[in-house]
Amino acid sequence: MTFDVESVRARFPSLATGTAHFDGPGGSQVPAAVADAVRDAMTSSLANRGVVTAAERAADAIVLDARRAMADLLGAPPGGVVFGRSATQLTYDFARTLARTWRPGDEVVVTRLDHDANVRPWVQAAEAVGAVVRWVGFDPATGELDDVADALSERTRLVAVTAASNLIGTRPPVSAIADAAHERGALVYVDGVHLTAHHPVDVAALGADFFACSPYKFFGPHCGVLAGRPEVLADLRPDKLLPSSDAVPERFELGTLPYELLAGCTAAVDFIADLVPGTGTRRERVEASLTAVGEHEDRLREEVEAGLARLPGVVVWSRARLRTPTVLLTFAERSAADAYRYLAGLGVNAPAGSFYAIETSRWLGLGDAGGLRVGLAPYSTDEEVRRLLDGLAAFLRSA
């Protein structure tokens, strides 16, 4: 399968600056096609969704196209695709809605491996109704998540788990976790924000009742997407305005949707589908492209890790057997924040911090400072990896 990284890079205007972007986990660069789609939507004749005027029909078409596009990306039914301001906002909304079905003594499971956006909303919702929070840790030596089944009981109502850690890249066995949770009648909420940019996603195969992601992590605009099982969504009654639609998924979308951003979401999925030459349905092309992306990124990750192993005083915390191309590192005698600033001066963007995975960072013993995170992307190259490693070597030699 051919993955032509130079051809891919030519479609990103921002890459012309020469900056090496290892900051994709915080938001990817945007191809011209996505920016064009946003602009075209904003400069076209649009109105609130409807079926009478051309402007109404154009807005309706944008929404329906975006639902189909995200369904093709995630392997989910279009009727379960919910749009929101961000994945964090959507998770808070669903946490509040689901908590109405909990009773004192019911249990919610969260993990130390998760971004705080898939921890705090559930902790706060549980506290509000008297539910019990069960915590699942992970092995700092390996980065592997502990057995979630050990935290489950007949009182478990929801398990919140990441599909991939945005800090150390660990990919837990989500489908096995979902099977164990479903055996006890619990729902499963998966944070797929970090995984979706790097590997093919099949929400049904994962067993997720809810799967949240962020298009701006995979070349799209800043908004949030949740793919839920329509039959589960149909049983939930969120707060909404009286005249707003009670249909699924519209009942979960507050106010007028940002049509221009949804047009950008569709363009982002089409861009992904065309990353490698091929034929077939858009879903099939998405799977083929992201498979090729994963192979490209994993090869570069191995180059990064081999280079880091040759540098003195570097500790790599990304150690799980199955992981995304995301490497967290610290230095024996220097701060990650200093390395971040040093590399930035060389035109290499590799930020430092805990990146909202505060429980993960503390569990590793790194505190709130976290470490330096190197996040590879489809547009990353061997030359950029060499620049990164040379820059780190120079940083470690500097006084």
Side-chain angles (χ1 to χ4, degrees), residues 92-103:
Y92 262 113
D93 285 349
F94 275 84
R96 286 189 289 263
T97 299
L98 285 164
R100 292 177 179 171
T101 69
W102 303 340
R103 298 292 179 265

Side-chain angles (χ1 to χ4, degrees), residues 147-187:
D147 191 351
V148 173
D150 292 342
L152 302 178
S153 77
E154 298 308 314
R155 297 300 301 270
T156 305
R157 295 294 172 260
L158 181 121
V159 175
V161 64
T162 185
S165 164
N166 79 314
L167 192 66
I168 58 175
T170 299
R171 293 174 58 189
V174 173
S175 60
I177 292 168
D179 286 345
H182 290 153
E183 287 177 2
R184 291 162 176 81
L187 295 172

Side-chain angles (χ1 to χ4, degrees), residues 187-219:
L187 295 172
V188 178
Y189 193 102
V190 177
D191 176 356
V193 171
H194 189 56
L195 179 68
T196 307
H198 301 292
H199 294 279
V201 170
D202 187 329
V203 170
L206 288 174
D209 298 293
F210 311 94
F211 183 97
C213 63
S214 300
Y216 77 96
K217 301 295 180 78
F218 48 86
F219 318 131

Side-chain angles (χ1 to χ4, degrees), residues 104-152:
D106 284 347
E107 297 174 359
V108 178
V109 177
V110 297
T111 88
R112 305 281 183 188
L113 196 62
D114 272 80
H115 186 290
D116 209 50
N118 203 31
V119 173
R120 216 56 49 191
W122 305 111
V123 170
Q124 292 166 349
E127 290 173 346
V129 299
V132 176
V133 177
R134 301 293 185 195
W135 290 86
V136 177
F138 65 94
D139 185 349
T142 65
E144 303 287 2
L145 186 66
D146 294 343
D147 191 351
V148 173
D150 292 342
L152 302 178

Side-chain angles (χ1 to χ4, degrees), residues 9 26 67 72 87 124 183 195 226 268 290 298 311 321 379-380 385:
R9 288 176 64 84
R67 293 205 207 282
D72 284 344
Q124 292 166 349
E183 287 177 2
L195 179 68
L226 180 139
L290 287 174
D298 283 343
L311 297 178
R321 181 188 61 82
Y379 41 72
S380 300
V385 167

